[in-house]
Amino acid sequence: MVGIFSDRNKPSIVPELPEVEVVCCGIRPFLENGIIRGAVIRTPRLRQPILPILPQTLAGRTVTEIRRRGKYLLLRCAAAGEREPGWLLIHLGMSGSLRWLPGRSATDSLPGRHDHVDLEFSSGVLRFADPRRFGVVAWHAGEDVDADPLLASLGIEPFADEFDGHWLHAAFATRQAAVKPVLMDAHTLVGVGNIYASESLFRAGISPLRPARNIAARRCDRLATSIRETLAEAIEAGGSSIRDYVHADGGAGCFQVNCFVYERAGQDCRICGHAIRQVRQAGRSTYYCPVCQR
DNA sequence: CGTTACCCCTGGAGGC
DNA sequence: TGCCTCCAGGGGTAAC
């Protein structure tokens, strides 16, 4: 079995952009140009209901493209018969995972309690599991998937050419809220969740409590760089863990094994030794070093 | 319009 | 041991 996340446990890290990117690359070799024979929906309601029409909608289509937008995985499903092309949208929520089960039928591997969706190909089955059911599996009819209501209002990709310190500085200009919840706002910038928001701010030396509009241009440059570096390192680490997993069949490790601040409340800052603080912002835990971050 | 509280859900941890 | 409570969080929505 080839797992994207270890099959017997949930990912220890909530899927953010790096995790989704790695899953995207991980499933591409198995799915690209594959023909969907059928689909099995066991849990009709995740974050939103999966339409019961989905199996019939998908059967017979060919997966021609697999890409990521924010934390959504997008599978382009070519037209079959009279029907127009469409896209399958998958969001892993905070506990979702995808596994590739080589073999001819989903019934070859009995589904567990949290295995909600199977996509059956001639060479194997793509299985979606999500214990906490914050995930999404949805269908977008037609070619223009970026116009889908789930995607239309998403913000800029952190690896887009236009994303840099200048872009951040301009986006922050109207935001008087603390920078950390602004960073996590997917309508502004996608892919940066609770873990990488705290880590990026630490690396940039910026306090998560500082109002976004009060961050000088030079520090926005540093923040944009930190965001990209943090995400890129996690993608690289994730890619490594997937390769190890495929070869060794061990558990896929967490991508951020050496967080500077996340979940390190009370522990010594790795740079200055001061105790890491934990506070609550917009209902989420924030971790930071009061000495290194200003 | 910007910002925040709340809700969805389950499993794991800690208290008693 | 077992039960209860709390906590984790992406993102949509309602409320302020």
Side-chain angles (χ1 to χ4, degrees), chain A residues 13-238:
Chain A
I13 291 288
V14 173
E16 296 192 28
L17 184 148
E19 290 74 17
V20 179
E21 180 68 25
V22 167
V23 169
C24 186
C25 295
I27 62 175
R28 186 175 287 121
F30 300 108
L31 301 193
E32 203 157 43
N33 300 317
I35 298 173
I36 301 172
R37 295 168 57 218
V40 180
I41 315 280
R42 301 188 190 82
T43 310
R45 187 167 186 87
L46 297 174
R47 191 206 305 167
Q48 59 180 229
I50 306 172
L51 297 179
I53 197 175
L54 203 53
Q56 302 89 295
T57 304
L58 291 171
R61 294 177 183 268
T62 303
V63 178
T64 58
E65 185 182 342
I66 299 144
R67 63 183 177 93
R68 176 191 62 75
R69 171 74 175 111
K71 295 175 188 171
Y72 286 89
L73 281 168
L74 309 177
L75 276 59
R76 184 180 182 278
C77 301
E82 307 287 307
R83 297 170 296 175
E84 60 179 339
W87 292 76
L88 192 65
L89 289 72
I90 301 174
H91 195 294
L92 300 178
M94 62 171 291
S95 60
S97 63
L98 288 170
R99 275 176 293 152
W100 176 254
L101 310 172
R104 298 197 304 173
S105 167
T107 57
D108 290 351
S109 176
L110 290 176
R113 187 154 93 91
H114 303 300
D115 294 333
H116 306 310
V117 179
D118 283 338
L119 278 190
E120 301 173 333
F121 296 82
S122 53
S123 55
V125 173
L126 184 73
R127 175 165 287 173
F128 172 83
D130 185 8
R132 296 183 192 176
R133 293 203 262 142
F134 280 21
V136 167
V137 176
W139 175 252
H140 178 86
E143 203 67 82
D144 189 10
V145 68
D146 291 308
D148 189 276
L150 289 171
L151 307 180
S153 64
L154 290 182
I156 194 170
E157 289 281 339
F159 290 111
D161 290 340
E162 318 87 71
F163 177 75
D164 57 14
H166 283 102
W167 191 98
L168 262 189
H169 193 243
F172 284 174
T174 61
R175 310 292 295 270
Q176 66 175 2
V179 61
K180 196 258 195 171
V182 172
L183 268 191
M184 290 179 63
D185 177 10
H187 299 106
T188 304
L189 170 70
V190 298
V192 179
N194 206 38
I195 299 166
Y196 296 108
S198 282
E199 291 299 304
S200 299
L201 286 166
F202 175 84
R203 292 185 184 214
I206 297 170
S207 167
L209 309 174
R210 179 176 290 273
R213 60 153 60 147
N214 291 359
I215 301 175
R218 286 294 300 274
R219 308 189 76 206
C220 287
D221 289 341
R222 197 171 160 197
L223 180 55
T225 301
S226 297
I227 290 168
R228 288 197 184 196
E229 286 178 356
T230 305
L231 295 176
E233 285 175 23
I235 290 170
E236 178 54 35

